[in-house]
Amino acid sequence: MKERKKLYKAGKLWVTATLVAFAGIVVTTTSASADDNTVVATPQTSQVNSSVPAPSTSTATPADATSATQNTLAQPANTAVSYAAANTTSWETTTSTLNGPTKLPSNQVQNPRNYTIGVYRNETLIYTYHPQLGDLFITNQAGQVVSQPTTAGTYRLQLSQQGLSNMRRVPDLQGYTLQSNVTTTIQLYQPYTPNTQDYQQNYGSLDGYSIRQTSATEAAIHVAGWHASGASSLMPYGWLIVFDNTRGREIKRVAIDPVNRPDVQAAYRNVYGSLQSGFNQDIIIPLSAAGDDLTIIARYSSDFINGEGQRIDHWFNRINADHGNHAWIDSVQYVNGHFQVNGWHATNQALGKNHHTLIIWDASQGRELTRIPDVAAVARPDLAKAYPTILGADHAGFSVDVPLLPAMVTDNIQFISRYSSTADSNRDYVDYWFAPQQLLSDHRNQGYLDSVNVQNGKLHIAGWHATNQSIGRPYHTLIILNAQTGHELLRYTTKQYASRPDLTRAFPGIVTAGQSGFNVDLQLVPGMGNQPLQIVSRWSATQDANSNYVDYWFAPVTLYRDTANRANLDSFAIQGNVVYASGWHATSQSLGRPYHYLLLFDRTTNREVQRVKVTAANSTRPDVARAFPDTYNAGQSGFNAQFTVQPALNGHELVVLSRWTDDPAGNGNAVDYWFGQTVTPNVPVDKAKQLD
């Protein structure tokens, strides 16, 4: 025997040829390897100068196809079963499946070791049978048995009677009724021995990839692309392998589920299998490896079980994990009394940190205002495309409702997105600090009095006070001051606001503008009619309105410019023991002093004799109202009263006094008018009563 080796280069491949000479036989073994990152297993071809009989196609029946000398998958006929007959009435029924490659070259189908038969009871696998020679046979689409198929196409691979008999002899299958008709569909193609050019035709592209978490311990890397190689004619089984560059080892391999790629076929028409060269599938990997630098390897192999044997690989570019910390605030909007913060935070540093918290930080004061725990994840498929190697990028979004706080009106607010492994988010965390921003840019404090007047015996005040500084200050107070002295006359506090949609349109930057109105009727108090009023609108955090507040001082207003104190005694007379007095007393100073009294006064002794309350029925004076239209009570300023006097007042000078007061009894805070007319009583004396 003589052996010689020859090394030469074909394209990118180094080829070694070994010539071994035997008596009458020359065997050539050729191995090829790429000089780039394409890894090719060593295919072998043999040339023998002895003649080899051509394969033949038989259409005989299974009985005719049986031959002790043929190395084929024909169904033997009249196979004797040597096991003893048994009572099968109580045997359990099973089902069987024929498992193995569904696509293979026609010259490999004769090997039954490519297949197994799974036996199931109630859908549970109880035994795996490995067929022997003669246990399987092939039929074409017409149902004819084909002993040695040479034509590519679709065939049926079936369990023969011999195979069924052999299975019945298995001790572990005793007591079971076995399924007799066990078949599967296979695709056969013409065998082909790749040449050097075929190995050079090893193309591929990783079109896209992304990583997502699928469970507490696993992640899925989704890969899409294609791998076309002429060597796939000999090695038809496609595999995808994940190589972990960080750990320096393979971490997963899966069989390719082929995808048609007519675009690849159009570009590589002369490359075998280019049409079905695509892949688009998930590969499950350990979650702990999701942040590593990975490489996807596409492989064609002759081994459909493990992806070993003869093989050719294509290494795609390394997938470098993104170790950055990325985030963005998409929008901050005021909605129904709170801020809605929308954005995203994607980082592999959050791996294992399942608690997401949004912290609201006052950058002006350097303190935390509040935090929102357990932020719900929002799907963001756009981020999966932008950051394909960040685990969880596809659901890294957030949409959080943040309460409205007073500090947000004037201070710079900073949002902090935090992933933490603890529920309180105070340990083992990764943060992203967004840039400080003014949430509310309108810092104006504005107000307006629409009307201030007296209506139905009440001080009616309508207007508005709009400012973002009212945020966190829910109590609204109107304070009435004497504009000249600063003395407080009255205040009114409420949490019921008047709706003002017109202000929402006018001041879109003031979030509380729509609820900034007021329209109230207040009690009239003394001092309102004869002095200018200073009205103050106050938003406060407390109901007493004495702390933590923001004010708007309106310009002083005068309710009635005519503040004179006028009166007239139309008649003042005495008849017998009755004194009659009628007239009017009109003054704006009576505002807040609703009680009108006439007092009969003894000037001689400087003592009050009697007082009479003026009723509304006796007070109407339209003539006075016409004469003094700017006087508050002119239309109700009249009086018509009677006093009864005793003889003891005979000879005394009596005068009458008109009084407007805030006291129902006629005392208190009053404004008086003393009339100058006098009467002197001369009441007859009853001498009989005097004697008594």
Side-chain angles (χ1 to χ4, degrees):
M1 178 185 72
K2 294 183 180 180
E3 177 178 315
R4 295 181 181 177
K5 294 183 180 290
K6 183 178 181 181
L7 180 66
Y8 62 93
K9 190 173 185 182
K12 292 185 178 181
L13 299 174
W14 288 101
V15 180
T16 302
T18 302
L19 303 179
V20 182
F22 296 90
I25 300 175
V26 177
V27 179
T28 302
T29 302
T30 305
S31 64
S33 60
D35 62 351
D36 57 6
N37 65 347
T38 301
V39 179
V40 184
T42 305
Q44 294 183 344
T45 60
S46 297
Q47 296 179 351
V48 183
N49 62 0
S50 59
S51 60
V52 179
S56 61
T57 301
S58 173
T59 58
T61 63
D64 297 332
T66 304
S67 172
T69 61
Q70 285 182 324
N71 185 18
T72 63
L73 293 176
Q75 179 180 6
N78 302 323
T79 303
V81 180
S82 61
Y83 60 88
N87 181 11
T88 62
T89 57
S90 61
W91 286 13
E92 294 189 64
T93 302
T94 63
T95 58
S96 300
T97 60
L98 184 54
N99 308 309
T102 59
K103 178 182 177 183
L104 70 168
S106 59
N107 62 354
Q108 292 187 16
V109 72
Q110 288 87 353
N111 185 2
R113 295 184 180 180
N114 287 334
Y115 295 90
T116 61
I117 297 177
V119 181
Y120 297 83
R121 178 174 62 85
N122 296 330
E123 299 183 355
T124 300
L125 180 67
I126 61 173
Y127 189 78
T128 299
Y129 177 72
H130 296 275
Q132 304 299 314
L133 191 65
D135 285 355
L136 304 174
F137 70 96
I138 301 172
T139 61
N140 58 22
Q141 290 182 311
Q144 299 170 324
V145 175
V146 181
S147 60
Q148 291 184 342
T150 59
T151 304
T154 302
Y155 294 84
R156 297 288 296 177
L157 184 63
Q158 305 183 43
L159 178 66
S160 68
Q161 285 295 329
Q162 172 186 312
L164 181 61
S165 298
N166 289 338
M167 291 178 64
R168 286 172 174 167
R169 293 189 181 95
V170 175
D172 290 344
L173 295 179
Q174 299 302 307
Y176 294 100
T177 300
L178 302 180
Q179 179 179 330
S180 59
N181 182 23
V182 183
T183 68
T184 188
T185 301
I186 58 175
Q187 293 285 334
L188 301 184
Y189 56 88
Q190 290 291 346
Y192 176 75
T193 301
N195 55 34
T196 302
Q197 184 178 4
D198 291 328
Y199 284 103
Q200 291 175 333
Q201 295 175 333
N202 188 28
Y203 309 104
S205 173
L206 189 60
D207 299 334
Y209 52 85
S210 63
I211 303 176
R212 70 182 189 280
Q213 185 172 350
T214 56
S215 71
T217 59
E218 293 181 325
I221 177 169
H222 186 86
V223 292
W226 56 272
H227 178 205
S229 172
S232 64
S233 61
L234 181 64
M235 303 167 243
Y237 304 109
W239 293 83
L240 290 173
I241 300 171
V242 182
F243 186 84
D244 191 324
N245 298 284
T246 304
R247 304 166 191 254
R249 60 182 174 86
E250 173 187 331
I251 58 174
K252 191 63 178 288
R253 71 172 61 185
V254 296
I256 291 179
D257 186 9
V259 175
N260 278 354
R261 290 295 296 263
D263 56 327
V264 178
Q265 184 186 45
Y268 300 95
R269 294 186 179 275
N270 297 324
V271 177
Y272 180 86
S274 58
L275 176 61
Q276 285 196 311
S277 63
F279 54 85
N280 188 355
Q281 62 193 88
D282 285 344
I283 306 174
I284 303 301
I285 62 174
L287 182 63
S288 58
D292 294 348
D293 292 339
L294 307 175
T295 297
I296 303 299
I297 306 168
R299 167 176 291 180
Y300 285 112
S301 169
S302 62
D303 178 8
F304 80 95
I305 297 177
N306 298 311
E308 296 297 329
Q310 286 184 299
R311 58 191 181 272
I312 184 169
D313 292 345
H314 187 95
W315 289 60
F316 297 107
N317 291 333
R318 176 181 294 199
I319 301 175
N320 293 317
D322 190 324
H323 301 293
N325 189 16
H326 311 280
W328 187 258
I329 292 291
D330 294 325
S331 65
V332 180
Q333 296 176 318
Y334 179 79
V335 180
N336 297 328
H338 61 266
F339 286 106
Q340 187 177 76
V341 183
N342 301 304
W344 55 269
H345 181 193
T347 175
N348 279 322
Q349 300 174 45
L351 190 64
K353 299 175 175 64
N354 299 322
H355 299 280
H356 190 194
T357 299
L358 189 69
I359 300 173
I360 291 80
W361 182 263
D362 190 325
S364 299
Q365 301 182 35
R367 66 183 181 92
E368 179 180 326
L369 297 178
T370 188
R371 62 175 59 190
I372 312 299
D374 302 321
V375 174
V378 175
R380 290 297 297 263
D382 56 325
L383 297 180
K385 297 177 182 178
Y387 301 98
T389 61
I390 293 184
L391 195 69
D394 59 333
H395 55 273
F398 57 82
S399 181
V400 182
D401 291 339
V402 176
L404 200 57
L405 302 174
M408 295 177 177
V409 177
T410 56
D411 293 354
N412 286 322
I413 303 302
Q414 200 161 12
F415 297 110
I416 306 169
S417 176
R418 171 173 293 178
Y419 289 107
S420 174
S421 62
T422 62
D424 62 8
S425 298
N426 289 327
R427 302 181 306 278
D428 188 25
Y429 55 79
V430 55
D431 285 349
Y432 191 96
W433 290 62
F434 296 99
Q437 58 179 301
Q438 284 265 320
L439 300 185
L440 300 174
S441 58
D442 193 332
H443 298 158
R444 291 176 293 178
N445 183 21
Q446 301 187 101
Y448 188 77
L449 285 176
D450 295 326
S451 63
V452 180
N453 52 49
V454 177
Q455 296 180 9
N456 301 319
K458 297 289 185 179
L459 176 61
H460 178 76
I461 305 177
W464 53 269
H465 178 195
T467 175
N468 280 323
Q469 298 177 57
S470 65
I471 295 170
R473 299 180 172 102
Y475 295 98
H476 185 228
T477 300
L478 287 176
I479 303 173
I480 316 301
L481 304 175
N482 185 311
Q484 294 181 342
T485 66
H487 174 68
E488 181 176 322
L489 301 176
L490 181 69
R491 69 169 55 192
Y492 172 79
T493 300
T494 184
K495 291 182 73 175
Q496 302 295 322
Y497 323 127
S499 177
R500 291 296 296 262
D502 56 324
L503 299 179
T504 300
R505 295 187 294 269
F507 305 105
I510 299 179
V511 298
T512 56
Q515 297 296 319
S516 64
F518 50 85
N519 190 338
V520 297
D521 293 314
L522 306 180
Q523 177 186 353
L524 294 171
V525 299
M528 289 183 174
N530 60 324
Q531 298 289 338
L533 301 181
Q534 180 83 64
I535 299 176
V536 181
S537 174
R538 172 173 292 177
W539 293 99
S540 67
T542 59
Q543 189 170 4
D544 63 10
N546 289 327
S547 61
N548 191 7
Y549 56 80
V550 55
D551 287 347
Y552 188 91
W553 290 60
F554 297 100
V557 295
T558 300
L559 296 179
Y560 295 96
R561 297 194 177 278
D562 187 346
T563 60
N565 188 17
R566 300 185 182 92
N568 186 63
L569 195 58
D570 296 336
S571 66
F572 187 45
I574 184 170
Q575 293 182 4
N577 64 342
V578 178
V579 177
Y580 297 92
S582 63
W584 54 270
H585 180 194
T587 177
S588 295
Q589 299 177 47
S590 66
L591 191 148
R593 299 177 173 98
Y595 305 105
H596 190 190
Y597 277 85
L598 283 182
L599 286 76
L600 186 64
F601 200 81
D602 185 344
R603 183 182 290 181
T604 302
T605 61
N606 202 28
R607 293 175 57 188
E608 177 184 333
V609 176
Q610 189 180 353
R611 65 179 60 187
V612 176
K613 186 176 183 180
V614 179
T615 63
N618 297 323
S619 65
T620 303
R621 290 298 296 262
D623 56 329
V624 179
R626 289 191 295 270
F628 305 103
D630 294 329
T631 300
Y632 162 62
N633 68 343
Q636 298 295 324
S637 61
F639 57 83
N640 191 347
Q642 298 179 9
F643 304 95
T644 301
V645 296
Q646 300 299 324
L649 296 178
N650 288 344
H652 292 208
E653 285 188 349
L654 303 181
V655 296
V656 69
L657 166 70
S658 176
R659 169 175 292 175
W660 290 96
T661 180
D662 61 355
D663 179 17
N667 299 311
N669 190 339
V671 55
D672 294 342
Y673 192 96
W674 290 80
F675 295 100
Q677 298 95 319
T678 63
V679 294
T680 301
N682 187 15
V683 179
V685 177
D686 188 343
K687 295 183 178 182
K689 288 185 178 181
Q690 287 181 337
L691 292 175
D692 293 339

